[in-house]
Amino acid sequence: MSYQLPKFRHPELPKNDLGYTKADYEGAISTLCAGCGHDSISGAIVKACHELSIEPHKIAKLSGIGCSSKTPTYYLGKSHGFNSVHGRMPSVVTGAAMANRELLYLGVSGDGDTASIGMGQFAHVARRNLNMVYIVMNNGCYGLTKGQDSATADEGSMSKKGEPNPFSAIDLCATALQFGATFVARSFSGDKTQLVPLIKAAIAHRGFALIDVVSPCVTFNNNKGSTKSYEFVREHAEATGAVDFVPMRKEITTDYKPGYSHEVTLHDGSSIHLYKLEQDLDPFDRTSALLAMERHRAAGDILTGLIYMDKASRDLHEQLETSRRPLSQLTEEDLCPGNQMLKNINASLR
Amino acid sequence: MKPTDTSNPEYFHKVVDCQYACPAHTPVPEYIRLIAAERYSDAYMVNWESNVFPGILGRTCDRPCEPACRRGRVEEEPVAICRLKRVAADNKDKADIASRMPEIPAEKNGKRVALIGAGPASLTVARDLAPLGYSIDIFDNQNAGGGMMRSQIPSFRLPAEVLDEEVNYILDMGINATFDIEVQSLREVLDKGYDAVFVGTGAPRGKGLNLPGLEDAAEHVHLGIDWLASVAFGHTTSIEKKVLVLGGGNTAMDCCRTSRRLGGEDVRVVVRSPFEDMKASPWEKDDAMHEGIPIYNNHVPKEFVIEDGEFKGMYFEKVMAEYDPDGKRSLVPTGEPLVFMEADVVLMAIGQENAFPWIERDLGVAFDKWEMPVVDRNTFQSSNPKVFFGGDAAFGPENVITAVAHGHQAAISIDLFCQGKDVDERPAPFTSLLSQKMGVHEWSYDNAIETDKRYAVPHAPLDKALSDRMLEVELGFDRGTGYKEAERCLNCDVQTVFEEARCIECDACVDICPTDCITFVGNAEEEQLRHSLTAPAGNLAQDLYVSEDLPTTRVMVKDENVCLHCGLCAERCPTSAWDMQKFLYNVTKAGR
Ligand SMILES: Cc1cc2nc3c(=O)[nH]c(=O)nc-3n(C[C@H](O)[C@H](O)[C@H](O)COP(=O)(O)OP(=O)(O)OC[C@H]3O[C@@H](n4cnc5c(N)ncnc54)[C@H](O)[C@@H]3O)c2cc1C
Ligand SMILES: Cc1ncc(C[n+]2csc(CCOP(=O)(O)OP(=O)(O)O)c2C)c(N)n1
Ligand code: SF4
Ligand code: SF4
Ligand code: SF4
Ligand SMILES: [Mg+2]
């Protein structure tokens, strides 16, 4: 009997610019239920970070409580990590990000962790436009506590227990938009071709980037009647368009039909290429994004892809004009420059 | 691509790289697991059924399985398959094995078969036909059975007791063996009214080199295989101090190592080709060099040197290998002066040939322009339907395991022929496919992947080994090391079997697979598909396992190349669309 991940890897695994293979971004073997959508999202995170050649020690992965919040153990085994309390991941990230602005903050949460106990935290971290990636592994239930309906379960949707959910659902993308998020996307754990470039774009975006990823819970919510099952999502997903993340210095090789494509240059010089399928959506316009979401909700399908992006996003550090050097690197001398400096400041205010 | 037809037994057979590469298709992982379970007699019998000489082959096999072994594609070295076979042979319970030998019917089936030559090919035919009630007469010109395994393979590689034991398992099956008899006419044999005749006389003639000076040097120049036979049968017990061995194959390696044991002090191997191109197996070259024998490559022999009527040595021309765009090699002289090497004696080990002076050409047995019999590659029947060939006699010199494989097939043909059936209707192999699942995280095979590097087989101390030509050099793995080496095997016969109707396309198998074997992707032609997989799929010798269309219109594609058979895909699949199933493949034998 064995349930261990073998050490051998494919001998010709591609190496990234740092000389690392995908294996260098993996974590421990998953202990989630076999077939859980969360594992695929972990796989997408590994792939995105590897392909972007991010140094593993420059990443901090944080989470709350839930099956989804357990996943940081299963990826980025060489990065920093913090498994916080239920619903409190945003405040821990805020603290960490204020202290050290040089790390990439990758928050992972569940629909329970975010839309119930953590709703207040979620609202404020979005509002403050903290520079982070916030991934919700959304399965419409509390997986870890045996499948109770969560606040994102659609009205009428049925989990394994067989009772239709009487309440209306919270749409995390719509609420995030209203709270002030500057990057909003939705995806599906079973569609890595869409998810991986979205994660890359969210990483490159400066500001709060939410990706709400529908992620079926095979054990409690993958039955007939559930709107978060593999089958239902596959049948009802409608993509806003294709996203191509183009890292800085790399040429765009895909040909897009003119008029349908947008190119957006991000802060670090990389760009994303959007190939629109949804003609009535302007992803750079909040009203258009909200309307598109509402239209699809009414039609009973799930709009996926990049929904909104604020090209002029100013993150929390920019808004507060904090020191460029991370707080964590400032010495006592920097912070208490002495009596003379105080006198100068006082004098300047007279 | 078309969906893979896994009902064709050759598909899963090919996944078991070692077994597929073995000419006799020995179920390698099956016996390796039995060794790990300390069931040595069972492991021995799995081998015996398939390759007839586990103790002999566990020491001397050319091991085509090892370069094919999957383990060699995920780390540096393959499993020591051959030396594990020896672990089974060394540790089996002899009495138990004797009791498991097939019963020989007291009442015969009325058919008489003559086997000419008592090498591994003929002995295999005897082994397969005797239990079916055939009366079998073997004729051989040596004084005991075994063919070249006795006359050529030196005792320090293959002790006589091991050879005797395994030859006798067969001769004890009521075989009527006549030794020390040279068969001089096939007509005479046929005239005795045999229902079938099998020719397993090997390739008994050593090739020579007719160079200037040979006539005068003749008494100092021997053909390697004749000299080795004369050592094996005790006619030659010593050799002069300075020995030149010409040739780069295994015969050359046996000649030089034997010379060292019979008194040769300055023993050199001289070969025309570059070192890497030598025919000898790498481990044989290593062993020779370890015994203090230098190998001079790129030296072409030119002349035997006689001074004042005395043999002095040989001249060689130095060459360089050049390859044309097609990779064809030519040896081009470097232009340097000839190299002189002193010698008291020269052993020529530059190849062997077949010779059939005793087969009359008017018996209906056709020969081609190279004087080789025309033999069917599948049935081993010659153009005279009663006469079959196998082993080195059929298509030229090969090795023991090939002779055994030929013997099995020839026995099937002889049986079909004697029963009045069509020899071209080959019986299908015996196969079975059985799930290995025992429960959650539990499989009936050891699916953990050990990272141990290949273990080295211990050798006898050099001074002792060189002072006694009968002393076996390799000591074999002890049981503990045998266990550890056995654990390196990846159990390639435990197949990943995919059932598309169950798959919900959750990607769990894709995410968990440590070696990125699995991809869900739109179908395409093989070449294109190979470029759209998760990991590079450039090993064209390894198949892609392709499913039927799935609900999303994609297909599952698994590149078999570096699958570890760890079972994690099946472990992580929520619907058991993957299962690990043991595939047993046994080549059918005569009478089954
Ligand atoms: C020096 C040397 C080392 C080798 N080492 C290895 C090794 O390590 N591993 C390996 O796998 N293979 C090895 N081989 C090759 C291997 O020995 C042969 O491929 C194998 O024995 C062939 O088997 P066979 O049954 O076809 O014929 P053989 O083994 O050649 O047996 C044929 C028998 O028929 C007898 N015979 C021939 N003509 C007549 C006749 N007219 N009348 C009566 N009897 C006759 C011969 O004397 C012989 O006994 C080696 C070969 C040589 C020369
Ligand atoms: C303060 C607090 N309240 C309640 C719980 C119990 N609890 C653990 S996980 C969980 C819900 C998790 O749901 P979600 O975030 O959707 O994660 P999932 O397991 O579905 O991925 C709850 C309510 C807790 N651990 N801590
Ligand atoms: S790993 Fe084992 S089963 Fe696989 S090819 Fe090697 S010896 Fe055979
Ligand atoms: S057994 Fe399955 S998980 Fe393991 S290497 Fe093979 S395909 Fe991958
Ligand atoms: S884990 Fe099973 S159900 Fe999921 S994609 Fe693989 S084979 Fe299909
Ligand atoms: Mg949940």
Side-chain angles (χ1 to χ4, degrees):
Chain A
M1 154 181 167
S2 154
Y3 186 57
Q4 297 152 15
L5 197 61
K7 294 234 162 47
F8 296 128
R9 293 292 177 274
H10 195 291
E12 293 141 50
L13 274 190
K15 291 199 169 131
N16 65 13
D17 293 347
L18 302 171
Y20 295 142
T21 68
K22 195 186 66 160
D24 296 310
Y25 292 82
E26 287 169 357
I29 193 167
S30 169
T31 56
L32 299 181
C33 303
C36 177
H38 300 355
D39 282 333
S40 294
I41 303 174
S42 300
I45 292 173
V46 167
K47 195 165 162 36
C49 292
H50 170 246
E51 289 177 1
L52 286 180
S53 299
I54 304 176
E55 289 169 282
H57 71 278
K58 295 249 172 86
I59 306 174
K61 42 176 188 169
L62 299 96
S63 63
I65 296 291
C67 297
S68 33
S69 292
K70 280 174 71 178
T71 60
T73 308
Y74 316 136
Y75 53 80
L76 300 175
K78 294 176 177 129
S79 300
H80 307 280
F82 198 109
N83 189 198
S84 76
V85 242
H86 205 15
R88 268 59 179 175
M89 175 268 281
S91 45
V92 180
V93 185
T94 308
M98 291 324 287
N100 184 359
R101 60 189 294 172
E102 285 189 342
L103 296 182
L104 160 65
Y105 292 96
L106 203 59
V108 161
S109 176
D111 43 321
D113 195 62
T114 293
S116 294
I117 192 167
M119 196 64 180
Q121 299 240 330
F122 176 63
H124 291 283
V125 76
R127 182 177 72 95
R128 291 172 178 151
N129 202 24
L130 186 72
N131 186 18
M132 74 174 294
V133 178
Y134 192 118
I135 293 176
V136 180
M137 300 183 170
N138 186 348
N139 53 15
C141 69
Y142 297 170
L144 192 71
T145 54
K146 298 222 177 319
Q148 299 84 349
D149 290 335
S150 79
T152 65
D154 289 311
E155 192 176 335
S157 176
M158 252 187 311
S159 71
K160 191 166 126 192
K161 221 170 33 186
E163 292 279 333
N165 169 36
F167 307 115
S168 71
I170 292 177
D171 182 333
L172 288 172
C173 289
T175 46
L177 248 180
Q178 283 172 330
F179 293 147
T182 49
F183 182 108
V184 175
R186 179 146 38 220
S187 192
F188 171 42
S189 66
D191 185 1
K192 281 205 193 70
T193 30
Q194 183 192 54
L195 181 54
V196 173
L198 279 178
I199 296 176
K200 290 182 186 171
I203 289 174
H205 173 76
R206 194 189 292 175
F208 184 79
L210 170 78
I211 312 178
D212 175 24
V213 190
V214 184
S215 172
C217 168
V218 271
T219 304
F220 298 112
N221 204 10
N222 192 37
N223 44 282
K224 278 236 145 26
S226 162
T227 60
K228 298 251 187 312
S229 69
Y230 282 106
E231 211 180 321
F232 185 92
V233 181
R234 285 229 164 81
E235 271 167 23
H236 295 82
E238 287 280 341
T240 58
V243 177
D244 225 354
F245 178 81
V246 190
M248 198 174 24
R249 286 171 283 130
K250 294 245 163 79
E251 265 182 69
I252 300 162
T253 48
T254 333
D255 279 332
Y256 288 111
K257 240 196 293 174
Y260 289 77
S261 82
H262 291 268
E263 195 191 330
V264 188
T265 306
L266 300 160
H267 287 85
D268 62 359
S270 54
S271 56
I272 53 175
H273 233 224
L274 265 178
Y275 178 62
K276 285 207 314 180
L277 294 171
E278 172 78 27
Q279 284 315 299
D280 296 332
L281 168 69
D282 176 1
F284 310 110
D285 180 81
R286 249 165 95 152
T287 319
S288 166
L290 279 167
L291 281 173
M293 275 191 275
E294 189 52 28
R295 253 195 330 273
H296 283 273
R297 196 191 59 79
D301 50 44
I302 307 158
L303 186 63
T304 66
L306 180 62
I307 294 169
Y308 174 71
M309 185 178 165
D310 179 357
K311 289 191 264 189
S313 161
R314 291 181 71 238
D315 81 330
L316 185 56
H317 283 287
E318 287 169 288
Q319 292 171 44
L320 296 181
E321 294 179 29
T322 54
S323 145
R324 282 200 173 273
R325 233 163 88 203
L327 215 56
S328 59
Q329 288 173 23
L330 298 181
T331 60
E332 196 181 330
E333 229 168 274
D334 297 321
L335 294 169
C336 300
N339 214 9
Q340 188 53 46
M341 185 63 86
L342 182 65
K343 277 184 186 154
N344 294 349
I345 293 172
N346 283 343
S348 77
L349 295 172
R350 288 227 166 82
Chain B
M1 279 180 81
K2 285 217 188 72
T4 302
D5 177 13
T6 55
S7 67
N8 177 352
E10 292 309 312
Y11 182 78
F12 284 144
H13 182 202
K14 198 174 161 201
V15 174
V16 196
D17 294 295
C18 49
Q19 181 176 15
Y20 193 71
C22 170
H25 304 308
T26 301
V28 173
E30 181 75 2
Y31 82 69
I32 291 185
R33 278 189 299 271
L34 290 168
I35 291 169
E38 296 182 74
R39 288 168 57 186
Y40 303 111
S41 295
D42 291 339
Y44 185 84
M45 288 310 289
V46 167
N47 272 291
W48 190 80
E49 285 292 339
S50 151
N51 55 47
V52 196
F53 304 105
I56 296 170
L57 288 166
R59 294 167 164 83
T60 64
C61 190
D62 265 355
R63 14 172 158 155
C65 53
E66 291 191 15
C69 171
R70 178 177 305 262
R71 182 100 187 178
R73 298 198 294 274
V74 292
E75 60 136 319
E76 286 128 57
E77 290 204 79
V79 176
I81 302 170
C82 179
R83 292 327 189 233
L84 282 173
K85 198 189 305 295
R86 175 172 171 182
V87 173
D90 286 357
N91 293 287
K92 67 187 188 297
D93 173 348
K94 270 196 198 174
D96 187 15
I97 298 299
S99 74
R100 295 199 207 184
M101 286 293 137
E103 291 235 4
I104 305 303
E107 198 169 316
K108 301 296 172 192
N109 71 357
K111 303 286 182 187
R112 293 169 58 238
V113 180
L115 313 179
I116 306 176
S122 290
L123 291 172
T124 302
V125 176
R127 202 290 299 268
D128 286 0
L129 294 182
L132 303 180
Y134 285 85
S135 305
I136 292 167
D137 295 342
I138 291 192
F139 305 96
D140 192 287
N141 59 9
Q142 296 180 173
N143 63 11
M148 286 200 167
M149 302 190 295
R150 189 175 297 278
S151 62
Q152 299 296 317
I153 303 183
S155 295
F156 59 85
R157 287 207 287 127
L158 175 60
E161 315 83 73
V162 177
L163 178 63
D164 288 340
E165 179 190 334
E166 292 186 335
V167 169
N168 287 340
Y169 284 139
I170 297 164
L171 294 181
D172 289 348
M173 291 178 174
I175 309 287
N176 177 25
T178 314
F179 292 114
D180 287 324
I181 179 173
E182 176 90 26
V183 174
Q184 281 169 339
S185 158
L186 180 59
R187 173 172 286 115
E188 270 173 33
V189 179
L190 287 168
D191 283 350
K192 288 186 190 148
Y194 286 105
D195 295 280
V197 175
F198 176 79
V199 181
T201 48
R205 194 178 278 175
K207 283 192 201 164
L209 259 188
N210 201 358
L211 296 175
L214 178 61
E215 239 167 73
D216 297 324
E219 61 177 300
H220 305 280
V221 180
H222 310 297
L223 288 177
I225 67 168
D226 293 348
W227 183 78
L228 283 171
S230 135
V231 173
F233 294 117
H235 309 314
T236 297
T237 52
S238 66
I239 196 164
E240 290 82 346
K241 290 203 163 50
K242 289 184 191 143
V243 185
L244 288 181
V245 177
L246 308 186
N250 289 341
T251 306
M253 298 303 116
D254 283 339
C255 284
C256 67
R257 296 178 69 194
T258 303
S259 300
R260 281 290 273 141
R261 286 161 173 79
L262 295 193
E265 283 170 8
D266 176 3
V267 180
R268 305 170 176 202
V269 171
V270 191
V271 52
R272 298 156 41 111
S273 71
F275 186 81
E276 313 73 54
D277 291 3
M278 287 170 63
K279 287 216 184 78
S281 322
W283 56 88
E284 301 246 16
K285 294 195 270 185
D286 288 347
D287 287 344
M289 292 186 297
H290 177 68
E291 292 176 359
I293 301 162
I295 297 176
Y296 292 86
N297 64 347
N298 296 327
H299 280 66
V300 176
K302 278 285 159 191
E303 189 184 332
F304 295 96
V305 181
I306 314 281
E307 274 173 21
D308 307 328
E310 251 185 77
F311 176 59
K312 288 287 176 196
M314 287 190 78
Y315 273 124
F316 296 90
E317 179 177 48
K318 283 189 83 179
V319 292
M320 241 170 13
E322 278 180 10
Y323 299 86
D324 72 8
D326 302 331
K328 242 192 99 189
R329 189 190 76 191
S330 46
L331 297 174
V332 189
T334 59
E336 291 165 77
L338 293 184
V339 176
F340 175 72
M341 290 193 201
E342 273 187 72
D344 302 322
V345 61
V346 176
L347 300 176
M348 289 209 260
I350 55 169
Q352 289 158 255
E353 286 173 324
N354 293 83
F356 301 99
W358 55 279
I359 299 185
E360 294 84 350
R361 301 299 144 111
D362 60 352
L363 296 173
V365 179
F367 281 79
D368 64 17
K369 60 177 169 186
W370 297 281
E371 285 294 300
M372 285 295 284
V374 178
V375 179
D376 186 285
R377 291 236 164 225
N378 295 314
T379 64
F380 295 88
Q381 195 173 39
S382 73
S383 51
N384 177 338
K386 264 193 186 179
V387 180
F388 298 80
F389 285 76
D392 289 356
F395 311 111
E398 286 279 351
N399 49 34
V400 174
I401 190 66
T402 304
V404 168
H406 290 179
H408 283 312
Q409 292 304 318
I412 292 174
S413 301
I414 293 170
D415 183 41
L416 291 171
F417 177 72
C418 289
Q419 306 306 321
K421 294 182 187 150
D422 184 353
V423 293
D424 285 311
E425 305 245 314
R426 312 303 289 176
F430 165 84
T431 61
S432 67
L433 190 62
L434 242 175
S435 176
Q436 301 297 293
K437 195 167 180 69
M438 310 263 286
V440 178
H441 298 346
E442 241 180 307
W443 300 97
S444 62
Y445 71 108
D446 198 345
N447 66 319
I449 309 292
E450 302 300 336
T451 48
D452 299 24
K453 295 267 178 283
R454 182 178 169 121
Y455 290 90
V457 180
H459 280 59
L462 193 57
D463 52 342
K464 269 178 88 180
L466 290 183
S467 61
D468 180 0
R469 82 169 173 93
M470 306 300 274
L471 182 80
E472 189 170 18
V473 179
E474 281 196 21
L475 304 177
F477 288 135
D478 58 28
R479 290 182 179 206
T481 317
Y483 171 78
K484 286 195 197 151
E485 184 63 33
E487 285 294 285
R488 294 180 70 237
C489 173
L490 300 170
N491 301 287
C492 301
D493 58 340
V494 182
Q495 306 282 346
T496 55
V497 181
F498 182 74
E499 206 181 310
E500 37 276 272
R502 288 173 171 273
C503 176
I504 57 169
E505 299 181 62
C506 69
D507 269 7
C509 52
V510 178
D511 292 326
I512 196 73
C513 177
T515 42
D516 295 291
C517 304
I518 307 170
T519 311
F520 288 83
V521 67
N523 204 347
E525 285 310 313
E526 174 160 357
E527 208 194 286
Q528 201 187 332
L529 211 48
R530 281 186 179 272
H531 289 286
S532 52
L533 303 185
T534 323
N539 185 351
L540 301 182
Q542 291 283 319
D543 287 337
L544 298 183
Y545 180 178
V546 180
S547 76
E548 303 269 357
D549 282 354
L550 294 162
T552 56
T553 72
R554 298 179 302 175
V555 285
M556 184 291 300
V557 184
K558 181 194 166 211
D559 180 7
E560 298 283 8
N561 187 21
V562 290
C563 169
L564 304 173
H565 297 261
C566 63
L568 284 180
C569 49
E571 194 74 69
R572 293 303 291 166
C573 176
T575 61
S576 302
W578 286 111
D579 191 24
M580 304 306 290
Q581 302 185 1
K582 186 169 93 179
F583 177 71
L584 196 62
Y585 179 105
N586 272 319
V587 179
T588 310
K589 285 217 289 286
R592 277 249 191 92

